[in-house]
Amino acid sequence: QKEVEQNSGPLSVPEGAIASLNCTYSDRGSQSFFWYRQYSGKSPELIMSIYSNGDKEDGRFTAQLNKASQYVSLLIRDSQPSDSATYLCAVDNTDKLIFGTGTRLQVFP
Amino acid sequence: DGGITQSPKYLFRKEGQNVTLSCEQNLNHDAMYWYRQDPGQGLRLIYYSQIVNDFQKGDIAEGYSVSREKKESFPLTVTSAQKNPTAFYLCASSIDSIRPGSTDTQYFGPGTRLTVL
């Protein structure tokens, strides 16, 4: 069974700090990786996608991919209370995505 | 106004009843997906369709059925055979089916929260 693992949290960080969210996956053949943000009671929204080893930056968000170690991470700089949500990692598997259970992030003022 | 719509937002069902959840998209996407999310859980794939008149079972298809008669529509029926249907149901679509190395991404509708009374 192909798996995507995330620490469920909650991860608590103070406002202005860097939040680091991690995800590991089991299928070495995976090539596409996604981070979704899900507010309580809402549907997931895409934040970042990454396909190559290394870092990809978009505003306050940086996705990091290391295929050799089979992990992908999301860094959120200058965390804001509005970033408080559950962050889902998703990995491609043939013709669909497999989602992790998500990490709950709490940013306190 | 492009996007994915799901209706209804909230749905209540009595035990033993079948109910159908609607999912419509006007993004001209070929692929559509149905997920179920339980509290504190990730997304579990129920069914997906890569093209009209074709669909595949996901990880938890038992007790559910789908149809794909039109490109823009992918309704999900929760049958009485589904033993624990209370959950948040999410529909998603992507331009094409997810393939290794593909840059296609899935976009989600707002969801339907189903409660069995």
Side-chain angles (χ1 to χ4, degrees), chain B residues 27-41:
Chain B
L27 301 169
N28 201 33
H29 285 178
D30 280 324
M32 297 185 74
Y33 311 81
W34 274 106
Y35 294 91
R36 169 182 172 143
Q37 188 175 37
D38 294 283
Q41 302 291 314

Side-chain angles (χ1 to χ4, degrees), chain A residues 36-104:
Chain A
Y36 287 83
R37 177 176 62 198
Q38 186 176 25
Y39 292 112
S40 181
K42 302 296 185 182
S43 62
E45 56 181 322
L46 182 69
I47 300 176
M48 295 279 290
S49 57
I50 187 166
Y51 311 101
S52 303
N53 277 331
D55 295 0
K56 179 182 178 183
E57 187 175 319
D58 184 1
R60 295 187 296 113
F61 298 98
T62 298
Q64 299 175 318
L65 176 60
N66 184 323
K67 290 184 180 180
S69 299
Q70 295 177 243
Y71 83 78
V72 57
S73 61
L74 179 70
L75 300 178
I76 305 175
R77 291 182 300 282
D78 188 24
S79 295
Q80 301 296 310
S82 59
D83 294 325
S84 297
T86 296
Y87 290 79
L88 302 170
C89 172
V91 176
D92 76 294
N93 172 239
T94 310
D95 58 355
K96 54 189 180 294
L97 294 181
I98 297 179
F99 286 81
T101 55
T103 298
R104 189 157 66 94

Side-chain angles (χ1 to χ4, degrees), chain B residues 15-81:
Chain B
E15 284 195 26
Q17 285 183 334
N18 293 353
V19 290
T20 298
L21 282 58
S22 169
C23 178
E24 304 274 335
Q25 54 95 2
N26 60 4
L27 301 169
N28 201 33
H29 285 178
D30 280 324
M32 297 185 74
Y33 311 81
W34 274 106
Y35 294 91
R36 169 182 172 143
Q37 188 175 37
D38 294 283
Q41 302 291 314
L43 304 180
R44 292 187 289 168
L45 184 63
I46 304 172
Y47 269 99
Y48 61 110
S49 169
Q50 298 168 315
I51 199 168
V52 174
N53 292 322
D54 188 40
F55 48 83
Q56 291 77 39
K57 292 182 178 180
D59 299 319
I60 56 165
E62 186 175 350
Y64 300 97
S65 66
V66 293
S67 63
R68 187 85 187 276
E69 297 176 0
K70 298 186 297 183
K71 185 176 185 177
E72 59 270 22
S73 179
F74 190 40
L76 173 74
T77 296
V78 184
T79 76
S80 57

